[in-house]
Amino acid sequence: MSLRTDADSIIREAIEAVLPDRAVMKALGELKLPDRDGKVYVVAIGKAAWQMACTAQRLLQGKIEKGVVITKYGYAKGELPGFQIFEAGHPVPDENSFEATGYAVSMVKDLKAEDQVIMLISGGGSALFEIPLCDSGSLQDITKQMLACAADITEMNVIRKRISAVKGGRFAQIAAPAQIYAVVLSDIIGSPLDMIASGPVYPDASTNEMAWEIVRKYHLKLPEDVRKLLDMETPKQCGNVTTKITGSVDELCDAAADACRKLGYEPVILTSSLNCIAKEAGSFLAAVARKYQDSKKTVAFIAGGETVVRLTGNGLGGRNQELALAAAQGIGETRDTVIFSVGSDGTDGPTDVAGGIVDGHTAELLKEKGWDICEALRRNDSYHALEACGGLIKTGPTGTNVNDVACILIKR
Amino acid sequence: MSLRTDADSIIREAIEAVLPDRAVMKALGELKLPDRDGKVYVVAIGKAAWQMACTAQRLLQGKIEKGVVITKYGYAKGELPGFQIFEAGHPVPDENSFEATGYAVSMVKDLKAEDQVIMLISGGGSALFEIPLCDSGSLQDITKQMLACAADITEMNVIRKRISAVKGGRFAQIAAPAQIYAVVLSDIIGSPLDMIASGPVYPDASTNEMAWEIVRKYHLKLPEDVRKLLDMETPKQCGNVTTKITGSVDELCDAAADACRKLGYEPVILTSSLNCIAKEAGSFLAAVARKYQDSKKTVAFIAGGETVVRLTGNGLGGRNQELALAAAQGIGETRDTVIFSVGSDGTDGPTDVAGGIVDGHTAELLKEKGWDICEALRRNDSYHALEACGGLIKTGPTGTNVNDVACILIKR
């Protein structure tokens, strides 16, 4: 059972390292806010906005002139001294999004060069933080067209940024000449700063020309006001912004590696941007585990990212559970080896668990209980298979979301 | 171009290390044949039998009393002094297989304890080296039934060994009390010695009970003579056999690692038993490459094995080419990085190339030339896509076959 205990403590420590409060504390500590004459304002947006603001408020007690929290309905947990708290629509922006964003804009639009804005950005910010430059009918129309033609998220953002008053670096322009310190809790692999919350304080890498190319590609029919907006270029520089990414899947992997090291494992981070099919990733990791069976070292291999489930049945499960179950098939007969995979938000697919954990006995145990792993994977029923062999990992909702981490532990 | 040059030399050195002659030389060198009073006999079976025998004959000049080569039609390249050369049916055994095997049996059946038999075993031995214990009609009948019910190769071998006079360790029994030195050129991942050539000199791990379970599972209808054979147990020990596996995918990986080290790369062998879907393996390796982009070390990651192609189109390609093409998609924008994958036999799928090689510019180059990587993979047309970007690797037929090796090279 010692491997399972090790796994539990690695999972706990890795997730704790990327919780919003820890992440904000670490980032603000590293940012070393200069002691300036100006005033400090806080704008917190996204699903973790309230927790992030709460931590900032505690850390910078008395130094904050004014703050605003814009989060999803039900995600605010009470008042914060000096803060205006808004809840708004997600994933579809609503009037509250526009009102809240308007409040943030009015708060920062007349600042001086010695003032500072602390932006606390988390996933979900795209919908919550928005003021459209076109009328709301046009916005809905163009959104529907893009969804209908299956434009990808990158393409949608190229258009969206151009019809927004705050996205694509425009909020940074509004707050200038004040200095902005952005702390970003990343929920997108690779942490592309212009994608997270649509990059309100990050220079936009896309161009008007790219926007028009997308319009032509999908034969989008643009309302007249949107046509004009597509000719207005977004900021290509945000000289007044310093950004600190925190709580990313990279930190999740690093924290897992630290936890492994503390327990005597020699950790190797294989990747922090895994994006292949979940059960193939499980098969790959099992193949790695087999290679190190004869090694005399206590080792750990860590792979962070977000795999993909291909639906071929209507069972219950999630990408982390599929990865683990597929790995079980490949590590039958290995000894003193476990493979686990968990989502840092504590929720894997539409289930009440964070992921799955398997070892060299799992495949045999399942066979004894009448389970066929291939068939369970085909039915996407990893939850029930893992339930049958004690392979489910429950953490409860963690309050953060920075993708997943999978890990091979081999103890000698 | 230096990375491509590095890749070429790593591929060349890795394959050279697993060529039959090099492999036999190395294995016989390591076996340290004791200087004994007895006589030395050589039994070479499989697709590489002739080359292996040729090397043994050269190394042990004058010491070989008698030898036999049993290989596939067209695979013998001439006479060898002291050797009887047979060509026989593959993958279906024929009368020549039985005659040749009979010759080998008669050669070793009356040996003394001080005599030695050098067995040179390579892929294809199952069909080439065979004397059925039942009549040939029964053999064909049971083989057809097992093919019809889609029994897997392991299950087929459990039955096959019991109706063979030489498989499942029985040839070792015949040659006893002579000592047997077996040199196995492995073409199966993990080198399961009871599977390669159906393990003529390796104790059989399967049991009569397992054989009967398979009969019940598939409702096989057994001829009476076969029923009796299924009650005769195979050898569970072969005390007179020393086995040296050589030229396996493990050696292929080790040789690739050595070649990397010579060129200044710090090599990490991830696995030597990769068996997931080819393009997902490519995606996984690309994710590993991305992780090490910011590393300051010159590193190489090696993954050996044999991936699987899922057919979704009717283009031209092979598993190594699919792996490389899929990886190209994932390493766009990386610098000083290549990923390649090659089959050690020099033939990837039904093509004239050994595999594929890509770098951080491949995806862009293909886009410029009008190729959509996703679409090319969907059509299983990796050959033409790689051809368009100079990503094909040609080695010509190598004369060996020990699976594939894929490699990430990152130079700093």
Side-chain angles (χ1 to χ4, degrees):
Chain A
M1 287 310 291
S2 121
L3 272 166
R4 177 70 193 244
T5 314
D6 287 357
D8 286 342
S9 98
I10 292 161
I11 293 164
R12 195 178 51 247
E13 290 191 33
I15 291 175
E16 269 173 14
V18 292
L19 288 180
D21 37 357
R22 280 270 291 269
V24 170
M25 218 176 295
K26 194 170 161 222
L28 288 184
E30 284 176 19
L31 271 180
K32 296 191 186 65
L33 287 174
D35 226 10
R36 299 176 67 143
D37 295 334
K39 292 169 177 167
V40 175
Y41 299 83
V42 176
V43 178
I45 62 172
K47 287 195 245 174
W50 192 90
Q51 285 102 315
M52 292 176 85
C54 181
T55 307
Q57 198 269 335
R58 215 171 53 238
L59 280 175
L60 305 173
Q61 231 156 11
K63 291 189 192 156
I64 298 173
E65 178 74 15
K66 221 192 226 179
V68 58
V69 167
I70 311 177
T71 192
K72 191 176 167 170
Y73 290 113
Y75 277 52
K77 297 181 186 163
E79 292 300 310
L80 293 173
F83 279 73
Q84 189 79 22
I85 315 278
F86 292 91
E87 292 185 331
H90 179 274
V92 182
D94 62 9
E95 286 303 320
N96 278 5
S97 312
F98 309 153
E99 188 200 333
T101 308
Y103 179 87
V105 166
S106 69
M107 193 173 87
V108 305
K109 74 180 164 52
D110 296 319
L111 301 188
K112 303 194 184 66
E114 62 266 31
D115 294 330
Q116 298 169 35
V117 178
I118 296 174
M119 285 287 293
L120 305 172
I121 302 173
S122 55
S126 279
L128 299 166
F129 196 60
E130 177 64 299
I131 300 176
L133 290 173
C134 61
D135 73 55
S136 64
S138 298
L139 179 62
Q140 279 175 20
D141 176 22
I142 185 77
T143 305
K144 267 188 205 160
Q145 284 187 57
M146 287 193 289
L147 287 172
C149 68
D152 69 28
I153 184 72
T154 313
E155 290 170 330
M156 288 181 74
N157 278 350
V158 171
I159 305 288
R160 271 181 190 160
K161 284 175 182 172
R162 285 173 169 69
I163 55 185
S164 166
V166 292
K167 290 178 160 60
R170 282 176 173 157
F171 188 72
Q173 270 188 334
I174 295 170
Q179 288 298 309
I180 298 179
Y181 296 93
V183 178
V184 179
L185 189 74
S186 168
D187 65 342
I188 306 183
I189 289 177
S191 303
L193 288 170
D194 63 335
M195 292 280 285
I196 299 164
S198 299
V201 295
Y202 197 77
D204 182 25
S206 69
T207 61
N208 289 347
E209 202 184 324
M210 288 159 75
W212 281 110
E213 202 177 299
I214 294 162
V215 169
R216 283 190 296 270
K217 177 175 173 186
Y218 294 112
H219 308 288
L220 303 178
K221 291 197 180 65
L222 300 184
E224 189 50 36
D225 53 348
V226 174
R227 298 191 74 84
K228 276 182 191 153
L229 293 171
L230 258 51
D231 283 329
M232 285 169 56
E233 199 46 281
T234 46
K236 298 298 167 244
Q237 287 187 326
C238 293
N240 58 329
V241 182
T242 306
T243 300
K244 171 73 192 161
I245 301 171
T246 188
S248 66
V249 63
D250 279 291
E251 281 197 25
L252 182 70
C253 292
D254 289 345
D258 286 344
C260 287
R261 211 174 280 115
K262 271 197 268 174
L263 294 168
Y265 296 87
E266 198 173 292
V268 178
I269 299 177
L270 294 175
T271 178
S272 54
S273 60
L274 196 60
N275 55 354
C276 67
I277 292 175
K279 62 183 184 182
E280 301 301 318
S283 168
F284 196 116
L285 290 175
V288 174
R290 291 195 295 272
K291 182 70 192 174
Y292 287 83
Q293 267 310 289
D294 300 326
S295 153
K296 295 203 175 71
K297 287 193 291 188
T298 291
V299 289
F301 291 92
I302 294 160
E306 196 166 301
T307 61
V308 177
V309 166
R310 184 164 290 171
L311 285 180
T312 50
N314 54 5
L316 186 65
R319 55 182 186 261
N320 290 286
Q321 293 163 75
E322 290 217 351
L323 186 157
L325 185 60
Q329 205 171 21
I331 58 165
E333 298 177 29
T334 62
R335 61 197 175 80
D336 302 328
T337 303
V338 304
I339 296 183
F340 69 78
S341 187
V342 290
S344 60
D345 59 356
T347 312
D348 188 38
T351 72
D352 60 349
V353 299
I357 181 165
V358 298
D359 63 26
H361 304 295
T362 304
E364 207 186 329
L365 189 61
L366 282 174
K367 199 180 167 189
E368 276 169 22
K369 290 179 180 267
W371 280 88
D372 177 330
I373 294 182
C374 287
E375 177 56 21
L377 287 168
R378 203 198 50 73
R379 286 189 286 111
N380 299 115
D381 202 22
S382 49
Y383 180 92
H384 292 116
L386 290 169
E387 189 180 38
C389 60
L392 293 173
I393 299 175
K394 290 192 191 193
T395 59
T398 61
T400 192
N401 177 15
V402 293
N403 313 117
D404 311 330
V405 64
C407 188
I408 307 170
L409 300 179
I410 300 175
K411 203 161 196 170
R412 290 291 172 259
Chain B
M1 285 311 290
S2 123
L3 272 167
R4 177 71 192 243
T5 314
D6 287 357
D8 286 342
S9 99
I10 292 162
I11 292 164
R12 195 177 52 246
E13 290 191 32
I15 290 175
E16 270 172 15
V18 292
L19 288 180
D21 37 357
R22 277 271 292 270
V24 170
M25 218 176 293
K26 194 170 162 223
L28 288 184
E30 285 176 21
L31 272 179
K32 294 192 186 64
L33 286 174
D35 227 8
R36 300 174 67 141
D37 295 333
K39 292 169 177 169
V40 175
Y41 299 83
V42 175
V43 178
I45 62 173
K47 287 194 245 175
W50 191 91
Q51 285 103 316
M52 291 177 85
C54 181
T55 307
Q57 199 270 337
R58 215 172 52 238
L59 278 176
L60 305 173
Q61 229 155 13
K63 292 189 193 155
I64 298 173
E65 179 73 15
K66 221 192 228 179
V68 57
V69 166
I70 311 177
T71 192
K72 190 176 168 170
Y73 290 113
Y75 277 53
K77 297 181 186 164
E79 293 300 309
L80 293 174
F83 278 73
Q84 190 79 22
I85 315 277
F86 292 91
E87 290 186 332
H90 179 276
V92 181
D94 61 10
E95 285 304 321
N96 279 3
S97 312
F98 308 153
E99 188 199 333
T101 308
Y103 180 86
V105 165
S106 68
M107 192 173 88
V108 306
K109 75 180 163 52
D110 297 317
L111 300 188
K112 303 194 185 68
E114 61 265 32
D115 293 330
Q116 297 169 35
V117 179
I118 296 173
M119 286 286 295
L120 304 172
I121 302 173
S122 55
S126 279
L128 299 166
F129 196 59
E130 178 63 301
I131 299 177
L133 291 172
C134 59
D135 73 56
S136 65
S138 298
L139 179 62
Q140 280 176 17
D141 177 21
I142 186 75
T143 305
K144 266 187 206 159
Q145 284 188 57
M146 287 193 289
L147 287 171
C149 69
D152 68 29
I153 183 72
T154 314
E155 291 171 330
M156 290 182 74
N157 278 350
V158 171
I159 304 289
R160 271 182 190 159
K161 284 175 182 173
R162 286 174 166 70
I163 54 184
S164 166
V166 292
K167 292 180 158 62
R170 283 178 172 155
F171 189 72
Q173 268 187 337
I174 296 170
Q179 289 299 309
I180 299 179
Y181 296 92
V183 178
V184 179
L185 189 74
S186 168
D187 66 340
I188 306 184
I189 288 177
S191 302
L193 288 170
D194 64 334
M195 292 280 286
I196 299 163
S198 299
V201 294
Y202 196 76
D204 182 25
S206 68
T207 62
N208 290 346
E209 202 184 325
M210 288 160 74
W212 282 111
E213 201 177 299
I214 293 161
V215 170
R216 283 190 295 271
K217 176 175 174 187
Y218 294 113
H219 308 288
L220 303 177
K221 291 198 181 62
L222 300 184
E224 189 49 34
D225 54 348
V226 174
R227 297 188 75 83
K228 279 183 191 151
L229 293 171
L230 258 50
D231 283 328
M232 286 170 54
E233 200 44 284
T234 46
K236 298 297 167 244
Q237 286 189 325
C238 293
N240 59 328
V241 182
T242 307
T243 300
K244 172 73 194 163
I245 302 170
T246 187
S248 66
V249 64
D250 278 291
E251 282 197 25
L252 182 69
C253 291
D254 289 345
D258 286 344
C260 287
R261 211 173 280 116
K262 272 197 268 177
L263 294 168
Y265 296 87
E266 198 174 294
V268 178
I269 299 178
L270 295 175
T271 178
S272 55
S273 61
L274 196 60
N275 56 355
C276 67
I277 293 175
K279 63 184 183 180
E280 301 300 317
S283 168
F284 196 116
L285 290 175
V288 174
R290 290 194 295 271
K291 182 69 193 176
Y292 288 82
Q293 268 310 290
D294 299 328
S295 152
K296 294 202 174 73
K297 288 194 290 191
T298 291
V299 289
F301 292 91
I302 295 161
E306 197 166 299
T307 60
V308 176
V309 166
R310 184 163 289 171
L311 286 180
T312 49
N314 55 5
L316 186 63
R319 55 183 186 261
N320 290 287
Q321 292 162 74
E322 288 216 351
L323 187 157
L325 185 59
Q329 205 172 20
I331 58 165
E333 298 178 28
T334 62
R335 61 198 176 80
D336 301 328
T337 302
V338 304
I339 295 184
F340 68 78
S341 186
V342 290
S344 58
D345 60 356
T347 313
D348 187 38
T351 71
D352 61 348
V353 299
I357 182 166
V358 299
D359 64 24
H361 304 294
T362 304
E364 205 186 330
L365 190 60
L366 282 174
K367 197 178 168 191
E368 276 169 22
K369 290 178 181 268
W371 280 88
D372 176 330
I373 293 182
C374 287
E375 177 57 19
L377 287 168
R378 202 197 52 71
R379 286 189 285 110
N380 298 115
D381 203 21
S382 48
Y383 181 93
H384 292 117
L386 290 169
E387 189 180 38
C389 60
L392 293 172
I393 299 174
K394 291 193 192 193
T395 60
T398 61
T400 193
N401 177 14
V402 294
N403 313 117
D404 311 330
V405 64
C407 189
I408 307 169
L409 301 178
I410 301 174
K411 203 161 196 169
R412 291 290 172 259

